[in-house]
């Protein structure tokens, strides 16, 4: 299982990567493996303002569907449209293939999330 | 099975006709003047053009790629795949039933209404309930009706706090989905290891926000919920209602009744217990029955008898309303009625006895070869937790697929969710001892093959018209209709 | 006692009990607490032979008068179209009707291929992108469309035209009441949806706009404006359509509808006193993954051979549980098969012809009935298969007299619309011959009151 240093992680297996004032949001390798072959990613709408822990999309495999929960409150400024044509990108590299780009409302919210080390320990416990 | 693989569109040829209409003979109407072109279809209708014999051969060939109860043993747990008596079909096809218009005046359909009235009475007696509506079109709709009735009941009492329904984690996915559609929040409670309600968990979940509890009995593990009397008492004391999912009714007819167990509302699946055909996925019928206090809330219409006349009662101010058009799936009701008349009281009791005996017999014979999580007398079905050999590289899915090569429809697999690698077997009463023995032999053989030659299972099936399908491809880039090349 | 559907003999039973180490079948039920054991015989009749049962059921059937005896001029949601003989023969193949939902694709290619053909035909006839495998009926399909809109669009209100069949409106209201969504009826004007009123009522709170065409009165709705109004308010436009009419009329696809639903009984299914019928449900590609119910897709097997399978299952209740937006499981597969066979047999010319003949004969019947002097036209709008007439005769009495003369007369609109007392909805399908229409007209001339 791959975990990337320098990202912020949620208990719901999403990650956040800071890029200046904006941030990329995706799902972790752990989540992608648990789902299996991903067949569809429902992306949020650009400009949508989404609260932390609110549902921002759905990710589906053949036999499972999982809601994605927003790690921190923010506004969607871009979505990864490549996933519409090829959802399997998430399986091939879940950290490279982000789901959406957001403008974070309050950076202090990131403190609530786990770092790579904490997330690794969390996953071990989950498994 | 045949290897015919053309679609009806692929045998089409311009100019062929499969059906001739009589001449119109009305020549003083010009439709072009009557219906302006702005309201007309502007695109071509893409439909096949085939002759009648071609079409008949096409669908005959297509049908032969199917496996039905008439083809072979179909031990699909929780689905009650029993034999569908042929007289049922004949009775439903009588023109004086099949050619009745739903809006006919009641005086011209007294026989149909009498049948519905009689059937309601029989279903009430079988379940120990007071009244039935035959409206729901399927089990899931019956279940939805039951939950709406519970909600309407609480609201009528002025109690708007009860917004939650308790569903055990062993339940079928329809239960929580129906609860959601009926506007409830779902409280899931963990079952005990043997699939029963955990009384302590139940107590902890009960409060004045709970509208009711959804339950099947026997449970989805095929085991009788022994604490049902206490469960009913607890739920009722907390002000909740008890809802019975009739999926497993085939185990208990003539032995005990949901009404006597304390259930307030039930739904049956006529296509399971009462031999109406599954049709490849419907039509079914899901009558909903209630105790007296819930009768005003039944969906419309309810058949009642006034003097010597049968009537469709639509004047029910507290009713949850209509769930579909007209009077329920009447054609299915005729089949179920025919079946109950045929079996009578003694027959229905015998049905449950033999369904339970058959299930226990297979369970006993297979438990040395597959993991049996709860080793006790089961009811009409039982659940195995995969192959006994925990180190086997073969999965439950592989076992199921290998059964196809042996000419059997596989059991239900990976359900209920609380049993890992679940294999749920329901033989029904309409199978002979010879069939059960042959199936048992094959299941044992497969468990041996899993050890000796696992590839046989992993590559299975190889004898069917197609092999395992690529489900990922189907869902990733969906092709949901045929397109002209 | 022997039962023909139960193969176990006394010897079989003993043998099996021995394997279980039990002395009686009763031991199998020892886990049921004594206090709730029935302890008596069910209060039902005794078992009967096939010939006895047949007589008993036929005795009930014979108390009915069916559309085989009464020439049917009634519709209002269920229609007496001709059903080709092959339909019954083919759906009576037990490989089709004794199978379960096609969960095991390897041995269910028959059902799966038939549903794939059905989805193709329904998508083509409605002009929509995709169709699901069927719903319970047209009314519940409309309610499911309203739920889809409510679950996915922002807002809390469904707008439904007053010209939609009253039973369909009732069903939508039942579902929406419990789903906590408001249903507002859009008034009608001259037998058509009042578009000005619709524009007035539509707002950001609207999640869906539902219009039926041909509507309950048989009148053909022009939906051009309604689509615009729905989309301006970010609501889904939901059309309830009659599939026979689409042999002739502008399709939901041509209008730009988001969802199209309807009653499929007309496609080769018997009247059956109201069921089983089938609903159909179609959508644009955009809504595809939100559709309820089963959907069949084409794929390949391990050898690369074309195969069909249930797909997009992540939408469904067995995966989403309480997050699913529909609870539908099995629905009306065998009725959908009948519809497939019907559309396949009629083909593109037949589907156009059945529509044209129904409309032509309906226009003829309307003009001839008016000529009797006993009826007045109510609406001027173009119609299809059904039309409304006004009369001074009490309609219940009229229909009673017609029944004595061998006709099932029109539907009494006063039952649903108090202001429509003395209005009657006649229906004429392609199955009615010119002679039958002329006889009805003649019978009307003889009616007394």
């Amino acid at each position: 299982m791959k975990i990337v240093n320098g990202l912020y992680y949620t208990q719901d297996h999403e990650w956040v990567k800071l890029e200046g004032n904006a941030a990329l949001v995706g799902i972790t390798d752990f989540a992608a493996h648990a789902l299996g072959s991903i067949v569809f990613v429902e992306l949020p709408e650009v400009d949508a303002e989404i609260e932390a822990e609110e549902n921002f999309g759905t990710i589906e495999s053949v036999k499972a569907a999982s809601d994605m929960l927003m790690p921190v409150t923010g506004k969607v400024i871009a979505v990864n449209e490549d996933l519409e044509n090829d959802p399997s990108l998430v399986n091939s590299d879940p950290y490279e293939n982000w789901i959406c780009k957001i403008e974070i409302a309050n950076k202090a919210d990131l403190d609530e999330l786990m770092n790579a080390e904490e997330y690794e320990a969390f996953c071990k416990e989950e498994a | 099975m045949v290897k015919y693989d053309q679609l009806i569109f692929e045998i089409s040829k311009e100019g062929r006709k499969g059906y001739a209409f009589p001449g119109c003979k009305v020549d003083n109407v010009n439709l072009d003047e009557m219906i302006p072109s702005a309201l007309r279809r502007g695109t071509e209708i893409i439909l096949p053009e085939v002759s009648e014999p071609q079409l008949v051969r096409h669908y005959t060939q297509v049908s032969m790629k199917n496996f039905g109860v008439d083809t072979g043993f179909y031990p699909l747990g929780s689905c009650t795949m029993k034999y569908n008596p042929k007289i049922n079909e004949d009775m439903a096809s009588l023109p004086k039933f099949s050619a009745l218009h739903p809006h006919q005046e009641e005086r011209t359909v007294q026989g149909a209404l009498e049948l519905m009235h009689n059937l309601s009475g029989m279903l009430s007696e079988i379940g120990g309930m007071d009244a039935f509506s035959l409206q729901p079109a399927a089990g899931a709709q019956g279940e939805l009706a039951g939950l709406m009735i519970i909600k309407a009941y609480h609201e009528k009492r002025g109690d708007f706090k009860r917004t939650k329904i308790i569903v055990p984690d062993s339940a079928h996915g329809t239960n929580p989905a129906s609860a959601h559609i009926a506007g409830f929040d779902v409280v899931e409670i963990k079952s005990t290891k043997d699939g029963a309600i955990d009384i302590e968990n139940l107590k902890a979940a009960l409060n004045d926000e709970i509208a009711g509890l959804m339950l099947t009995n026997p449970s989805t593990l095929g085991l009788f919920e022994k604490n049902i009397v206490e469960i009913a008492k607890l739920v009722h004391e907390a002000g909740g209602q008890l809802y019975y999912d009739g999926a497993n009714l085939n185990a208990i007819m003539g032995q005990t009744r949901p009404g006597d167990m304390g259930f307030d509302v039930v739904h049956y699946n006529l296509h399971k217990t009462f031999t109406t055909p599954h049709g490849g996925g419907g039509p079914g019928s899901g009558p909903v029955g209630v105790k007296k206090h819930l009768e005003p809330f039944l969906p419309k219409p309810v058949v009642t008898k006034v003097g010597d006349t049968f009537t469709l009662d639509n004047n029910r101010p507290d009713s949850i309303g209509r769930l579909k058009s007209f009077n329920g799936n009447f054609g299915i009701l005729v089949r179920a009625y025919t079946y109950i008349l045929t079996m009578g009281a003694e027959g229905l009791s015998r049905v449950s006895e033999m369904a339970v005996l058959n299930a226990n017999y297979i369970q006993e014979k297979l438990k040395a070869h597959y993991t049996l999580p709860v080793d006790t007398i089961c009811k009409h079905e039982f659940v195995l937790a995969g192959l006994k050999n925990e180190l086997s590289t073969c999965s439950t899915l592989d076992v199921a697929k290998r059964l196809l090569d042996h000419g059997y429809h596989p059991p239900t697999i990976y359900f209920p969710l609380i049993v890992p690698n679940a294999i749920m077997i329901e033989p029904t009463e309409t199978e002979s001892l010879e069939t059960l023995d042959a199936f048992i032999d094959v299941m044992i053989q497969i468990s041996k093959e899993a050890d000796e030659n696992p590839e046989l299972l992993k590559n299975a099936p190889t004898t069917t018209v197609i092999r395992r399908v690529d489900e990922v491809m189907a869902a990733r880039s969906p092709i949901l209709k045929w397109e002209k090349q | 006692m022997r039962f023909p559907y139960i193969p176990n003999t006394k010897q079989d039973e003993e043998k099996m009990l021995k394997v279980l180490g039990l002395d009686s079948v009763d031991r199998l039920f020892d886990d049921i607490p004594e206090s709730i054991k029935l302890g008596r015989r069910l209060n039902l009749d005794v078992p009967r032979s096939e010939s006895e049962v047949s007589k008993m059921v036929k005795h009930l059937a014979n108390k009915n008068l069916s559309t085989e005896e009464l020439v049917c001029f009634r519709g209002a949601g269920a229609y007496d179209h001709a059903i080709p003989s092959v339909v019954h023969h083919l759906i009576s193949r037990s490989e089709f009707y004794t199978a379960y939902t096609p969960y095991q694709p390897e041995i269910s290619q028959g059902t799966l291929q038939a549903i794939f053909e059905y989805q193709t035909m329904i998508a083509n006839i409605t002009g929509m992108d995709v169709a699901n495998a069927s719903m319970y009926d047209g009314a519940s399909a409309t309610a499911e469309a309203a739920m889809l809109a409510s679950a996915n669009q922002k807002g809390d209100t469904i707008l439904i035209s007053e010209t939609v069949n009253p039973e369909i409106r009732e069903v939508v209201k039942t579902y929406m009441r419990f789903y906590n969504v408001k249903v507002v009826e859009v008034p009608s004007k001259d037998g058509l949806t009042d578009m000005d009123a619709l524009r007035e009522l539509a707002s950001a709170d609207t999640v869906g706009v539902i219009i039926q065409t041909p509507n309950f009165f048989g009148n053909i709705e022009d939906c051009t404006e309604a689509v615009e109004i729905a989309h301006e308010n970010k609501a889904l436009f939901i059309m309830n359509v009659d599939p026979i009419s689409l042999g002739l009329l502008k399709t939901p696809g041509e209008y730009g509808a988001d969802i199209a639903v309807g009653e499929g009984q007309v496609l080769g299914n018997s009247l059956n006193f109201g069921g089983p019928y089938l609903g159909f449900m179609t959508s644009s590609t955009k809504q595809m993954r939100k559709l309820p119910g089963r959907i069949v897709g084409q794929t390949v097997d391990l050898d690369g051979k074309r195969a069909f399978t249930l797909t997009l299952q992540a939408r469904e209740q067995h995966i989403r549980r309480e997050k699913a937006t529909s609870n539908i499981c099995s629905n009306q597969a065998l009725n959908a098969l009948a519809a497939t066979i019907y559309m396949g047999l009629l083909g593109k010319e037949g589907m156009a012809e059945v529509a044209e003949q129904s409309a032509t004969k309906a226009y003829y019947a309307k003009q001839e009935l008016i000529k009797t002097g006993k009826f007045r036209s109510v609406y001027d709008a173009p119609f299809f298969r059904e039309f409304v007439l006004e009369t001074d005769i009490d309609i219940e009495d009229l229909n009673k007299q017609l029944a004595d003369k061998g006709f099932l007369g029109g539907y009494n609109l006063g039952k649903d619309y108090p202001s429509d007392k003395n209005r009657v909805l006649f229906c004429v399908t392609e199955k009615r011959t010119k002679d039958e229409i002329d006889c009805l007209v003649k019978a009307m001339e003889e009616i007394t009151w």
Side-chain angles (χ1 to χ4, degrees), chain C residues 189-255:
Chain C
K189 198 175 152 192
D190 305 327
L192 293 168
T193 307
D194 182 342
M195 292 299 161
D196 294 332
L198 174 61
R199 195 173 287 283
E200 193 92 337
L201 287 166
S203 74
D205 292 332
T206 311
V207 293
V209 174
I210 304 175
I211 289 190
Q212 181 181 22
T213 182
N215 67 27
F216 185 59
F217 307 112
N219 297 331
I220 303 166
E221 299 266 4
D222 185 341
C223 296
T224 318
E225 213 181 328
V227 181
E228 284 171 20
I229 296 169
H231 289 166
E232 278 164 18
N233 290 283
K234 293 208 159 75
L236 297 187
F237 184 63
I238 299 163
M239 272 175 88
N240 182 304
V241 287
D242 173 77
I244 295 284
S245 76
L246 296 177
L248 185 64
L249 302 183
K250 189 163 170 177
T251 65
E254 290 170 326
Y255 275 116

Side-chain angles (χ1 to χ4, degrees), chain B residues 5-6 41 59 63 66 99-100 103-104 114 125 178 255-256 280 322 326 346 350 379 467 470, chain C residues 13 31 36 38 41 43 63 65 67 74 93 99 111 113 117 125 167 174 273 299 303 306 327:
Chain B
D5 76 340
Q6 285 186 294
R41 181 175 188 122
Y59 286 108
S63 78
N66 246 18
L100 293 183
H103 283 311
Q104 279 182 226
E114 186 176 344
E125 167 62 13
S178 298
Q255 302 292 337
T256 181
R322 264 186 181 285
F326 310 122
E346 288 73 18
R350 185 75 180 159
K379 292 275 87 57
R467 296 178 60 203
D470 187 341
Chain C
E13 187 184 322
D31 50 0
I36 53 167
L38 183 59
R41 169 184 189 281
N43 187 16
K63 294 185 182 179
L65 267 180
T67 56
R74 196 169 295 180
R93 286 195 64 91
T111 297
Q113 174 174 339
E117 293 181 355
I125 192 117
E167 289 204 357
T174 302
F273 199 41
T299 184
D303 296 333
R306 177 168 68 184
N327 71 335

